[in-house]
């Protein structure tokens, strides 16, 4: 739904009086650097042009009304009752952020909120982080003079996801969404949170987002399991190397130390982390020198490692990526986000887009019985208020 329509729906739902404000928070893709944000590695995500709209009005009392154009479920609660409740479903994301801001001493107040998402749910494009940042920025603008450091909002949204929702995610999604800049990808060092905006000149190629339409159901426990496996690898390697995260190791250092990891799965997870981090650095070099073919090869190598070493792809993602790599104009493809379903990205010659989509659609349907969807998006701006003047 467009912002203006969400605004109209808000007025119908809650009434047109008072100071009503409109916000937008993007989705994200990650170009390369997967499953290494929580291993102190480099990631290279960007915000999308589509995301979640939110309309909000402050209230005089402590009531928080939460409604969405995408779900029937509406939740009414108060600032004194922001506990997680399973039955509150999607509304737990805004509730969690408001609660954490309240607990951390930020100023919060009652609100009427209507949200409307253009990010397909369960597609791995971070609809939840988008909603979290949307809420945090609304609270910032309504009750905190719009003057809070954005990185602080990013961190508290990650905390909401970790501690309130219970998914032990890294910082990449919230950072990409909160700090996104139009036409710039973000090279983020997750060890230090230093970052650079990089203009991703794709030289006549474009990124196509391919939705497997296989929902990422039940992936939370697998995600947390991967994190535990990485922690186990780190603990074992720390006895021999002076490190605080896996990605501090170069591939050479890892090769020297890897026989200390006696369990096959633990060794594979660590190998992925170390080499994926190395690939991100190579990918930036390739982009900076205009070598788009090498960039594409690195994307594909990243997918292969996520499939063989990290084991987070699955049949749908592997099928769509291999169909993409066979299709006209494609020079690289990989899953993006957490994996286990959701979306992949492909780097495709702009002149071949139609035949590319045609070929992937047929091949993927043939292999999996599922229909693929395709999205195109430039790089969008991070979470922001939209002026209504
Ligand atoms: C999810 C998490 C991120 C990151 C990716 C994998 O999107 O929220 O923190 O770990 O998976 O790269």
């Amino acid at each position: 739904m467009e912002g203006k329509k969400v605004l109209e729906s808000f007025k119908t739902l809650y009434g047109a009086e008072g100071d009503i404000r409109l916000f937008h928070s993007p989705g994200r893709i990650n170009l390369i650097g997967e499953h290494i944000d929580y291993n102190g590695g480099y990631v290279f995500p960007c915000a999308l042009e589509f995301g979640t709209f939110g309309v909000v009005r402050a209230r005089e009392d402590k009531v928080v009304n939460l409604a969405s154009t995408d779900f029937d479920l509406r939740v009414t609660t108060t600032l004194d009752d922001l506990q997680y409740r399973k039955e509150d479903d999607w509304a737990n994301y805004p509730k969690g952020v408001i609660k954490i801001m309240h607990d951390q001493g930020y100023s919060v107040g009652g609100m009427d909120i209507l949200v409307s998402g253009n990010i397909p749910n369960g597609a791995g494009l971070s609809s939840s982080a988008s909603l979290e940042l949307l809420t945090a920025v609304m609270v910032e603008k309504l009750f905190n003079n719009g003057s809070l450091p954005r990185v602080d909002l990013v961190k508290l949204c990650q905390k909401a996801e970790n501690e309130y929702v219970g998914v032990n995610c890294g910082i990449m999604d919230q950072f990409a969404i909160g700090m996104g800049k139009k036409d710039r990808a973000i090279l983020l060092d997750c060890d230090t949170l230093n970052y650079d905006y990089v203009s991703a000149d794709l030289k006549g190629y474009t990124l196509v987002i391919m939705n497997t339409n296989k929902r990422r159901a039940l992936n939370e426990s697998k995600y947390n399991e991967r994190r535990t496996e990485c922690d186990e690898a780190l603990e074992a390697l720390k006895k021999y190397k002076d490190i605080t995260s896996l990605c501090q190791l170069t591939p050479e250092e890892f090769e020297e130390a890897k026989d200390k990891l006696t369990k096959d799965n633990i060794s594979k997870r660590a190998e992925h982390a170390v080499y994926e981090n190395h690939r991100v650095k190579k990918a930036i070099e390739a982009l900076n020198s205009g070598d788009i073919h090498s960039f594409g090869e690195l994307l594909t190598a990243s997918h292969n490692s996520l499939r063989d070493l990290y084991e987070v792809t699955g049949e749908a993602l592997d099928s769509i990526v291999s169909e993409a790599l066979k299709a006209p104009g494609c020079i690289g493809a990989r899953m993006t986000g957490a994996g286990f379903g959701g979306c992949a990205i492909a780097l495709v010659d702009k002149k071949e887009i139609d035949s590319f989509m045609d070929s992937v659609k047929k091949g993927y349907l043939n292999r999996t019985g599922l229909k693929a969807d395709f999205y195109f998006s430039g790089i969008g701006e991070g979470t922001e208020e939209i002026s209504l003047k």
Side-chain angles (χ1 to χ4, degrees):
M1 210 185 255
E2 279 171 40
K4 285 219 172 89
K5 280 202 174 156
V6 190
L7 199 61
E8 288 316 307
S9 306
F10 179 98
K11 291 176 184 165
T12 311
L13 183 64
Y14 296 115
E17 63 284 353
D19 187 16
I20 299 174
R21 296 165 72 168
L22 174 66
F23 291 80
H24 185 259
S25 188
R28 69 94 189 89
I29 52 170
N30 186 20
L31 302 179
I32 190 164
E34 212 68 85
H35 281 282
I36 55 172
D37 57 348
Y38 51 82
N39 285 311
Y42 281 95
V43 295
F44 193 37
C46 61
L48 297 172
E49 284 168 337
F50 56 87
T52 318
F53 281 108
V55 183
V56 61
R57 179 175 57 204
R59 296 175 57 97
E60 301 283 312
D61 56 15
K62 289 183 169 183
V63 172
V64 178
N65 283 313
L66 295 161
S68 163
T69 63
D70 311 311
F71 306 101
D72 290 336
L73 177 75
R74 285 170 57 181
V75 169
T76 292
T77 185
T78 75
L79 294 176
D80 301 322
D81 183 19
L82 291 169
Q83 293 316 310
Y84 181 91
R85 278 196 198 90
K86 196 170 183 308
E87 63 273 21
D88 284 352
D89 195 60
W90 69 270
N92 280 308
Y93 292 98
K95 275 173 54 185
V97 170
I98 299 167
K99 177 165 192 321
I100 296 227
M101 291 185 85
H102 190 50
D103 292 352
Q104 292 192 352
Y106 293 107
S107 175
V108 298
M111 286 174 277
D112 297 325
I113 295 179
L114 176 67
V115 300
S116 181
N118 293 315
I119 309 172
N121 273 304
L125 302 177
S126 277
S127 55
S128 54
S130 177
L131 181 53
E132 286 158 5
L133 261 302
L134 181 76
T135 311
V137 174
M138 282 173 168
V139 172
E140 180 207 15
K141 301 282 182 196
L142 262 58
F143 305 110
N144 296 275
N145 305 319
S147 63
L148 304 177
R150 189 52 74 92
V151 172
D152 293 356
L153 299 185
V154 163
K155 286 184 188 159
L156 71 85
C157 286
Q158 183 198 9
K159 194 174 161 72
E161 181 94 31
N162 292 167
E163 292 173 11
Y164 190 91
V165 181
V167 178
N168 211 3
C169 67
I171 199 159
M172 175 174 77
D173 301 345
Q174 286 80 8
F175 200 98
I177 287 167
M179 301 290 289
K181 232 189 201 16
K182 179 130 195 61
D183 296 331
R184 298 278 182 277
I186 307 174
L187 176 63
L188 171 66
D189 177 350
C190 298
D191 209 11
T192 58
L193 291 194
N194 290 335
Y195 61 95
D196 265 325
Y197 290 111
V198 178
S199 86
D201 178 2
L202 301 179
K203 304 272 167 201
Y205 286 78
T206 191
L207 283 167
V208 181
I209 303 172
M210 309 180 290
N211 191 348
T212 60
N213 281 314
K214 165 116 176 57
R215 280 182 65 92
R216 295 177 306 124
L218 292 179
N219 74 337
E220 276 82 5
S221 60
K222 283 279 171 205
Y223 185 92
N224 290 346
E225 181 184 294
R226 289 293 173 278
R227 285 204 65 156
T228 314
E229 289 168 334
C230 288
D231 290 345
E232 190 176 331
L234 178 63
E235 282 316 306
L237 291 171
K238 264 181 171 172
K239 293 190 192 118
Y240 308 94
K241 294 273 175 194
D242 184 20
I243 52 170
T244 52
S245 70
L246 286 178
C247 289
Q248 285 167 353
L249 292 175
T250 62
E252 295 73 32
E253 287 167 337
F254 175 73
E255 291 303 327
E256 269 168 38
K258 99 175 176 198
D259 62 344
K260 307 287 190 279
L261 299 175
T262 48
K263 285 193 210 154
D264 191 43
N265 63 325
I266 301 298
S267 173
K268 277 159 59 176
R269 308 303 182 238
E271 183 173 339
H272 166 77
V274 171
Y275 280 86
E276 180 75 354
N277 195 40
H278 186 62
R279 274 189 289 273
V280 180
K281 295 179 195 163
K282 291 271 200 213
I284 299 294
E285 277 169 31
L287 273 186
N288 286 342
S289 61
D291 183 358
I292 196 71
H293 283 269
S294 296
F295 182 69
E297 280 162 21
L298 288 158
L299 298 190
T300 307
S302 166
H303 182 86
N304 294 343
S305 175
L306 289 155
R307 180 191 62 207
D308 301 335
L309 297 176
Y310 218 68
E311 299 179 278
V312 290
T313 56
E315 200 206 332
L317 279 167
D318 290 337
S319 301
I320 213 161
V321 164
S322 81
E323 288 303 320
L325 291 170
K326 284 195 307 203
C330 179
I331 58 168
R334 58 182 292 274
M335 56 157 268
T336 189
F340 312 103
C343 283
I345 53 173
L347 190 56
V348 184
D349 187 335
K350 281 183 181 162
K351 297 189 292 293
E352 303 270 16
I353 293 291
D354 288 338
S355 40
F356 169 82
M357 287 196 299
D358 204 41
S359 167
V360 174
K361 203 172 245 169
K362 283 187 192 134
Y364 180 67
L365 181 68
N366 222 351
R367 274 166 89 141
T368 62
L370 292 168
K371 183 180 154 289
D373 282 320
F374 301 89
Y375 315 119
F376 295 88
S377 170
I379 301 181
E381 189 70 27
T383 310
E384 60 184 340
E385 180 162 15
I386 315 266
S387 166
L388 292 174
K389 293 205 179 84

